[in-house]
Amino acid sequence: ILKGTVRDPYCALLHGVGYIGEGKYRSLDIIGPKKYKNTDAYKAWGHILSRCYGTGSLRETNCCYKDSTMQESWWNFQTFAEWYYTNKPSCNYALQIDKDLKVPGNKVYGPDTCTFVPSAINSLFTGWLDNRDLPRGVTVSKLTGRYIAKTNHAEGGLRRQIHIGTYDTIEEARLAY
């Protein structure tokens, strides 16, 4: 108690709703003497909570996260981690948790709506707010006025744009995307 290492597992410390709970799942892995790192499940849980309840830029710039919430049972890290480790496939490529592939337009992260998706596939469906009047994946060149089809690719924590092509009509660019 004097060192401050005793904590209430039901105290909502993460974004005002997330708590660790009691159970077998840990938020930290020991990687050496006095060296720790967050577990993959804890990182994923924290990112979802941040999208739903954080004040970060993703909620402001990406329409996919606007008005998103998390099912109350997942506020408990133990419940989320059980789903995470039960459902995460074993593979050699980066995965992300998606809330609206199973249920288009869904705004609630939960066990019945979420699934693991390869990052390369999931990045095709992100909806950045900079082009509200154009189809997803289409922008207008300020220099030529032609339509550009591009996609975002996220891997290893980095996000980069991939240019697909430049077209004379919105429809051509949309089809290319």
Side-chain angles (χ1 to χ4, degrees):
I1 291 173
L2 293 175
K3 290 183 178 182
T5 57
V6 177
R7 296 197 175 120
D8 178 357
Y10 295 98
C11 181
L13 295 176
L14 201 55
H15 299 292
V17 296
Y19 59 95
I20 297 297
E22 294 179 273
K24 67 181 181 179
Y25 299 104
R26 302 285 172 240
S27 61
L28 295 172
D29 282 330
I30 300 169
I31 58 172
K34 296 186 180 182
K35 291 185 181 181
Y36 306 91
K37 71 172 189 166
N38 290 330
T39 63
D40 290 341
Y42 184 78
K43 286 188 275 189
W45 181 68
H47 286 130
I48 294 171
L49 283 168
S50 178
R51 288 179 213 135
C52 295
Y53 307 107
T55 57
S57 63
L58 279 179
R59 292 191 73 203
E60 310 302 322
T61 59
N62 191 324
C63 63
C64 295
Y65 304 130
K66 186 173 171 41
D67 301 322
S68 290
T69 60
M70 181 186 268
Q71 186 174 317
E72 204 170 313
S73 67
W74 271 16
W75 292 357
N76 182 337
F77 173 67
Q78 299 298 316
T79 305
F80 173 82
E82 177 71 30
W83 175 88
Y84 182 92
Y85 291 117
T86 300
N87 290 281
K88 185 176 186 230
S90 177
C91 61
N92 294 328
Y93 45 86
L95 295 171
Q96 294 175 338
I97 296 173
D98 186 89
K99 66 173 172 24
D100 46 16
L101 187 64
K102 286 170 107 177
V103 182
N106 175 53
K107 294 290 184 181
V108 180
Y109 284 91
D112 297 327
T113 57
C114 288
T115 189
F116 284 91
V117 179
S119 298
I121 300 297
N122 201 35
S123 65
L124 293 174
F125 299 103
T126 58
W128 298 94
L129 295 177
D130 57 354
N131 296 315
R132 293 180 192 216
D133 56 334
L134 294 172
R136 181 172 287 155
V138 177
T139 60
V140 178
S141 169
K142 291 179 181 177
L143 295 174
T144 66
R146 296 180 72 206
Y147 298 96
I148 301 168
K150 61 184 176 180
T151 185
N152 292 314
H153 179 71
E155 190 168 321
L158 300 175
R159 185 177 197 84
R160 63 184 174 99
Q161 290 188 346
I162 299 171
H163 181 84
I164 298 170
T166 305
Y167 305 91
D168 293 322
T169 67
I170 293 174
E171 185 60 21
E172 289 173 316
R174 186 190 68 77
L175 286 172
Y177 175 78

